[in-house]
């Protein structure tokens, strides 16, 4: 079992940057994959980025070259660095982990990109 708490969201202008954090309640060293999802109003939740315990990363095409996912096992935290933000990045961003076959979600953090 793990609890996930996201932070770092907010209002930013187009072209700006934000860094989201996902703090876990236990060690993430043994968690194979951790991910960030997002859900915009009226749309389905979509996978944004995933990172494995070995450091492999994958991204949805729309954020490649702009977003970077990373994990700090010592701090039990996963990050999402978001650069060159666009209005279409506006969404609630959720942290996700799969532990022993169970799926865990954080409460989400709102990211709004607007001038």
């Amino acid at each position: 079992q793990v609890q996930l708490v996201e932070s770092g969201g907010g209002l930013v202008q187009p072209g700006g940057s934000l860094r989201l954090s996902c703090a876990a309640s236990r060690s993430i060293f043994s968690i194979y994959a951790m991910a960030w999802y997002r859900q915009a109003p009226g749309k389905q939740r979509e996978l944004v980025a995933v990172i494995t315990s070995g450091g492999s990363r994958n991204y949805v095409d729309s954020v490649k070259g702009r977003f970077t996912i990373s994990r700090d096992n010592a701090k039990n935290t996963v990050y999402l660095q978001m650069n060159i933000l666009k209005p279409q990045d506006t969404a609630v961003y959720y942290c996700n982990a799969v532990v022993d076959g169970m799926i865990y979600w954080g409460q989400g953090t709102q990211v709004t990109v607007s001038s």
Side-chain angles (χ1 to χ4, degrees):
Q1 185 172 344
V2 61
Q3 293 180 326
L4 304 171
V5 179
E6 301 98 334
S7 61
L11 173 64
V12 63
Q13 292 186 341
S17 298
L18 283 174
R19 188 177 80 155
L20 306 183
S21 299
C22 170
S25 61
R26 49 151 279 184
S27 171
I28 64 171
F29 180 80
S30 62
I31 298 177
Y32 175 69
M34 296 193 69
W36 286 96
Y37 285 72
R38 66 185 178 187
Q39 187 166 20
K43 294 188 177 182
Q44 290 188 333
R45 192 171 296 190
E46 69 167 348
L47 176 64
V48 176
V50 59
I51 185 168
T52 68
S53 55
S56 296
R57 300 170 171 86
N58 279 292
Y59 302 90
V60 67
D61 285 347
S62 60
V63 308
K64 285 181 179 177
R66 300 188 298 121
F67 290 12
T68 302
I69 189 171
S70 61
R71 60 193 287 168
D72 186 335
N73 290 339
K75 296 182 178 179
N76 300 330
T77 301
V78 176
Y79 302 98
L80 185 67
Q81 177 67 44
M82 306 185 296
N83 298 326
I84 317 175
L85 282 160
K86 304 176 181 180
Q88 52 264 46
D89 295 318
T90 294
V92 178
Y93 284 70
Y94 298 92
C95 184
N96 166 281
V98 179
V99 180
D100 296 331
M102 296 290 291
I103 300 172
Y104 296 91
W105 296 95
Q107 82 288 351
T109 185
Q110 175 71 46
V111 172
T112 302
V113 185
S114 175
S115 56

